[in-house]
């Protein structure tokens, strides 16, 4: 198609064919009061001017800070091969794989992605991906409501506030009762789960590692949840699954999470990748696309979009969900990243994150005015208590060349002096040491 | 087209075999033929109260999903346990092994709203014109 805008002559010719004399007459059905007063679009610019303008905006960012911020999105290394493979036009320009006979490559890639998600989470079936971790969690919640016919949700306050806000927003017009379990010593209180569990509960939602980076084995909670006929949903950090007990091993029914840490750049908050996997028996209530493996008429292996009767293009108002797309290119990045690292590489990646974070805790503990919270085990992120307002410390640390962490007061009342620090495999021993020195200096 | 005599029929192609105060319910030969290979049947919960013509079950074939409506008002007494692992029974034996559920009738007068085999035959011929 040509991207040439219409000339005055083009417009006149089109109006003539339609049988009206002017653009105003064409839009005559829309009352003037309802028409936009103006589109408020500035005049066009040349390519050179646009490039210069965007460059000027880009240089406003501090791009060379050493990053210790996590809070759900992490600064991991991405091998160059990820971009090289994902940028192949066969992948990069392809459209929705609705015709399996011409989309075998894409379908296989998504099938491999699903396999990796199942292996990481320890569950049976995965969909082709969702928009992001929060959307995936909302879809899991709705799955639980459909499967149980109940409407009470018990949620760990250690679930990222961004996700909790998304769940409340998405469900604001539905009659769903939410109960939030308070945090004690960095994790949600076990006795509170028992207190609120009943036969009205559709699901319990737990994040592991939770927002404070704290990890735990929730098998006991899951067992209780199942006694009441409810479902257990885990929101997880995929890199941590290289070493932690998986949701499947703990008995969770559904696992969701943010896949950004699998080869996707932070890029100002998106596009990211939501993943979801579940026990096999729940597959018909799973939202979105699912790629399946089958054989063609000659018995050769082939891939298809399977169980499409769940989807809205077939079931319309009775579809399991109105999600009609997946985050294919981001899912491809994830599968390429995981395949490049391999099973051992993913284990090593998780161990590096854990060990470097433990090292940072130890060095920080030597600073007398800083209190490192050590009551619970953490993966690659932990909480420190500072002698002053954390937001203020963050600003001072930027001048020293560090993005030093996430001030917890932004998400949790009464935690203004708490800072959440993340340490990925990209942080060197030298960087961690100079980070601690800089922190000591600004305090 | 197989349309047994001893059954009652609906315009949505469900059949009912009334036995005293209960009825077996399934979909007709015409329905299974139109759907093609059936891959899944979602059955109602035992104990569910239904009104006549309420959606009671869902039948899925390779490319479509259709609701199955209850021919009678009443309570679901039992469902066909075989369909979970063998949905193809609906294609192979729609009036016998492929039945969907058994319902306890609230009101036998509702029979009057259903067709006998002859009326259903005429109804089908009207559809194909």
């Amino acid at each position: 198609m040509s991207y040439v805008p219409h000339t005055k002559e083009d417009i006149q010719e089109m109006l003539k064919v339609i049988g009206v004399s002017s653009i105003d007459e064409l839009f005559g059905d829309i009352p003037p009061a309802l028409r936009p007063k103006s589109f408020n679009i500035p005049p066009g610019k040349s390519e050179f001017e646009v490039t210069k303008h965007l460059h000027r905006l880009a240089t406003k960012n501090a791009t060379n800070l050493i990053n210790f911020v996590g809070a759900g999105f992490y600064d991991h290394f991405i091998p160059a091969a990820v971009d090289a493979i994902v940028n192949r036009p066969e992948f990069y320009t392809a459209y929705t794989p609705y015709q399996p006979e011409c989309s075998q490559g894409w379908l296989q890639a998504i099938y491999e992605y699903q396999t990796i998600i199942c292996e990481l989470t320890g569950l049976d079936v995965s969909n082709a991906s969702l928009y992001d971790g929060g959307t995936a969690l909302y879809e899991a919640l709705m799955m639980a409501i459909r499967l149980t016919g109940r409407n009470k949700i018990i949620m760990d306050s250690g679930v990222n506030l961004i996700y909790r806000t998304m769940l409340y927003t998405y469900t604001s017009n539905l009659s769903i009762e939410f109960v939030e379990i308070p945090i004690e010593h960095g994790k949600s209180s076990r006795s509170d789960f028992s207190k609120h569990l009943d036969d009205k509960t559709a699901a319990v939602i737990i994040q592991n590692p939770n927002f404070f980076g704290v990890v735990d084995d929730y098998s006991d909670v899951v067992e209780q949840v199942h006694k009441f006929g409810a479902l257990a949903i885990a929101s997880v950090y995929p890199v941590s699954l290289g070493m932690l007990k998986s949701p499947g091993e703990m008995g969770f029914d559904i696992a969701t999470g943010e896949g950004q840490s699998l080869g996707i750049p932070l890029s100002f908050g998106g596009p990211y990748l939501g993943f979801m996997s579940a026990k096999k028996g729940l597959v018909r209530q799973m939202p979105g696309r699912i790629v399946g493996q089958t054989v063609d008429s000659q018995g050769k292996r082939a891939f298809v979009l399977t169980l499409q009767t769940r989807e809205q293009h077939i079931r319309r108002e009775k579809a399991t969900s109105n999600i009609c797309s997946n985050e294919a290119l981001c899912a491809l990045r994830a599968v390429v990243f995981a395949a490049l690292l391999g099973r051992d590489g993913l284990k090593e990646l998780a161990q590096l994150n854990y060990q470097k974070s433990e090292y940072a805790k130890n060095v920080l503990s030597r600073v007398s005015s800083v209190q490192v919270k050590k009551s619970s085990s953490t993966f690659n992120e932990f909480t420190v208590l500072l002698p002053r307002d954390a937001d203020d410390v963050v600003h001072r640390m930027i001048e020293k060349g560090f993005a030093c962490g996430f001030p917890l007061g932004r998400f949790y009342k009464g935690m203004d002096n708490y800072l959440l620090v993340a340490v990925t495999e990209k942080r060197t021993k030298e960087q961690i040491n100079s980070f601690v020195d800089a922190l000591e200096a600004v305090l | 087209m197989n349309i047994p005599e001893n059954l009652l029929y609906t315009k949505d192609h469900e059949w009912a075999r009334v036995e005293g105060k209960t009825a077996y319910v399934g979909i007709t030969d015409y329905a299974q033929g139109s759907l093609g290979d059936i891959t899944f049947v979602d059955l109602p919960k035992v104990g569910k109260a239904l009104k006549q013509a309420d959606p009671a079950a869902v039948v899925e074939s390779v490319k479509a999903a259709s609701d199955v409506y209850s021919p009678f008002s009443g309570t679901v007494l039992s469902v066909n346990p075989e369909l979970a692992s063998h949905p193809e029974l609906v294609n192979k034996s729609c009036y016998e092994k492929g039945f969907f559920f058994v319902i306890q009738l609230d009101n036998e007068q509702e029979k009057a709203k259903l067709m006998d085999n002859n009326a259903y035959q005429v109804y089908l011929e009207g559809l194909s014109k």
Side-chain angles (χ1 to χ4, degrees):
Chain A
M1 90 182 248
S2 140
Y3 289 96
V4 180
H6 307 130
T7 62
K8 283 198 174 83
E9 291 74 22
D10 289 338
I11 292 171
Q12 283 312 321
E13 201 179 330
M14 288 193 284
L15 291 172
K16 210 165 118 187
V17 171
I18 297 165
V20 289
S21 62
S22 67
I23 294 281
D24 275 348
E25 196 185 333
L26 176 66
F27 289 104
D29 291 332
I30 301 170
L34 297 177
R35 296 183 206 177
K37 301 281 173 292
S38 101
F39 288 106
N40 194 20
I41 296 172
K45 279 185 161 49
S46 69
E47 181 183 348
F48 172 68
E49 287 169 303
V50 172
T51 312
K52 211 166 75 168
H53 176 66
L54 291 175
H55 188 73
R56 197 170 52 79
L57 290 178
T59 52
K60 287 184 171 179
N61 293 313
T63 49
N64 52 356
L65 296 179
I66 298 168
N67 190 356
F68 287 86
V69 186
F73 312 97
Y74 300 88
D75 182 25
H76 290 290
F77 178 69
I78 302 171
V82 174
D83 279 317
I85 293 166
V86 173
N87 285 336
R88 289 189 60 90
E90 299 91 326
F91 283 127
Y92 210 74
T93 63
Y95 186 61
T96 302
Y98 271 132
Q99 275 72 37
E101 49 281 284
C102 26
S103 304
Q104 284 301 294
W106 246 124
L107 289 169
Q108 181 170 354
I110 296 173
Y111 184 83
E112 306 290 358
Y113 156 84
Q114 291 173 178
T115 305
I116 279 169
I117 295 299
C118 288
E119 298 247 327
L120 279 172
T121 55
L123 286 157
D124 308 320
V125 285
S126 157
N127 68 9
S129 72
L130 297 148
Y131 304 135
D132 53 35
T135 309
L137 193 55
Y138 158 76
E139 290 288 348
L141 176 160
M142 293 309 290
M143 254 175 98
I145 286 180
R146 289 193 298 271
L147 283 156
T148 58
R150 304 170 181 180
N151 70 344
K152 178 174 162 185
I153 300 289
I154 299 175
M155 184 154 53
D156 160 16
S157 316
V159 172
N160 191 328
L161 182 69
I162 296 172
Y163 295 178
R164 279 184 283 145
T165 308
M166 281 174 83
L167 298 189
Y168 294 139
T169 307
Y170 277 24
T171 60
S172 56
N173 294 321
L174 306 173
S175 58
I176 294 175
E177 181 199 345
F178 281 94
V179 177
E180 277 201 27
I181 303 297
I183 299 286
E184 287 172 356
H185 306 298
K187 56 187 173 192
S188 44
S189 125
R190 287 290 203 275
S191 59
D192 273 280
F193 277 118
S194 321
K195 200 165 74 188
H196 292 289
L197 262 172
D198 55 18
D199 56 13
K200 290 188 186 69
T201 308
V204 166
I205 299 176
I206 294 171
Q207 181 174 319
N208 192 44
N210 72 9
F211 192 73
F212 309 99
V214 171
V215 298
D216 202 358
D217 182 347
Y218 291 97
S219 307
D220 57 321
V221 179
V222 172
E223 201 177 322
Q224 277 197 320
V225 170
H226 288 160
K227 275 187 189 144
F228 286 94
L231 296 178
I233 300 170
S235 179
V236 289
Y237 172 17
V239 167
S240 74
L241 296 172
M243 65 186 283
L244 297 181
K245 198 167 177 178
S246 70
E249 286 170 308
M250 293 181 203
F252 279 95
D253 301 283
I254 307 171
T256 64
E258 175 52 65
Q260 174 273 324
S261 55
L262 301 172
I264 296 163
L266 286 160
S267 57
F268 301 95
Y272 288 163
L273 167 71
F275 63 85
M276 176 191 267
S277 59
K279 288 179 179 167
K280 195 175 176 183
L282 312 186
V283 68
R284 289 186 169 274
Q285 286 300 334
M286 196 175 233
R289 290 180 193 150
I290 299 171
V291 175
Q293 185 183 287
T294 181
V295 286
D296 69 6
S297 58
Q298 296 155 20
K300 291 185 191 141
R301 181 169 81 150
F303 298 94
V304 291
L305 288 177
T306 189
L307 295 174
Q308 287 192 73
T309 45
R310 300 165 303 110
E311 294 187 65
Q312 63 176 8
H313 61 285
I314 293 189
R315 295 210 62 188
R316 311 239 167 144
E317 71 284 355
K318 290 198 168 178
T320 52
S321 152
N322 291 110
I323 284 271
C324 58
S325 184
N326 72 312
E327 208 71 11
L329 213 56
C330 292
L332 181 69
R333 291 189 76 93
V335 65
V336 169
F337 176 86
L340 287 167
L341 266 72
R343 189 181 293 270
D344 292 346
L346 285 166
K347 276 185 192 162
E348 196 182 330
L349 176 67
Q351 279 157 2
L352 278 172
N353 275 265
Y354 171 71
Q355 286 156 357
K356 291 190 171 196
S357 162
E358 291 300 302
Y359 173 79
K361 274 189 196 175
N362 289 335
V363 185
L364 272 168
S365 302
R366 293 180 211 147
V367 181
S368 59
S369 58
V370 173
Q371 196 190 335
V372 178
K373 292 287 165 189
K374 287 186 174 174
S375 50
S376 309
S377 308
T378 59
F379 172 58
N380 72 345
E381 197 164 12
F382 54 90
T383 306
V384 293
L385 176 55
L386 304 171
R388 59 190 318 156
D389 185 275
D391 248 321
D392 178 43
V393 171
V394 167
H395 287 293
R396 287 162 189 255
M397 285 292 277
I398 289 171
E399 288 158 29
K400 301 239 172 217
F402 292 95
C404 74
F406 182 86
L408 279 169
R410 291 186 194 177
F411 280 8
Y412 292 91
K413 261 201 194 91
M415 294 191 82
D416 293 341
N417 289 10
Y418 288 84
L419 183 71
L420 188 64
V421 178
V423 185
T424 68
E425 77 287 348
K426 278 173 80 173
R427 300 289 74 84
T428 62
K429 195 172 178 177
E430 293 71 33
Q431 285 176 337
I432 296 168
N433 291 340
S434 51
F435 162 77
V436 175
D437 292 343
L439 189 64
E440 200 166 11
V442 305
L443 296 174
Chain B
M1 189 70 62
N2 180 8
I3 308 175
E5 287 177 15
N6 57 338
L7 307 179
L8 294 169
Y9 298 90
T10 70
K11 289 187 174 175
D12 298 306
H13 312 285
E14 289 90 16
W15 58 260
R17 187 170 71 242
V18 180
E19 296 180 356
K21 290 218 179 282
T22 64
Y24 279 73
V25 177
I27 63 169
T28 65
D29 192 19
Y30 172 86
Q32 71 79 21
S34 312
L35 286 165
D37 285 347
I38 286 164
T39 52
F40 179 71
V41 180
D42 188 19
L43 294 167
K45 283 204 165 74
V46 172
K48 189 174 169 69
L50 293 165
K51 291 241 176 317
Q52 191 171 34
D54 270 359
V58 179
V59 59
E60 287 187 15
S61 63
V62 180
K63 287 272 183 190
S66 313
D67 283 322
V68 174
Y69 303 96
S70 182
F72 289 105
S73 305
T75 311
V76 177
L77 284 181
S78 64
V79 297
N80 184 347
E82 296 296 316
L83 293 188
S85 47
H86 296 288
E88 70 280 5
L89 287 172
V90 179
N91 294 116
K92 285 183 186 155
S93 166
C94 66
Y95 296 111
E96 298 290 339
K97 289 181 179 163
F99 82 94
F100 278 39
F101 58 91
V102 180
I103 187 165
Q104 169 94 39
L105 307 189
D106 280 350
N107 175 5
E108 288 179 58
Q109 305 304 316
E110 287 179 342
K111 281 190 208 174
K113 291 188 185 164
L114 306 179
M115 294 176 270
D116 67 7
N117 58 313
N118 295 322
Y120 183 59
Q121 173 90 43
V122 172
Y123 173 69
L124 283 186
E125 283 162 7
L127 289 183
S128 59
K129 271 175 191 159

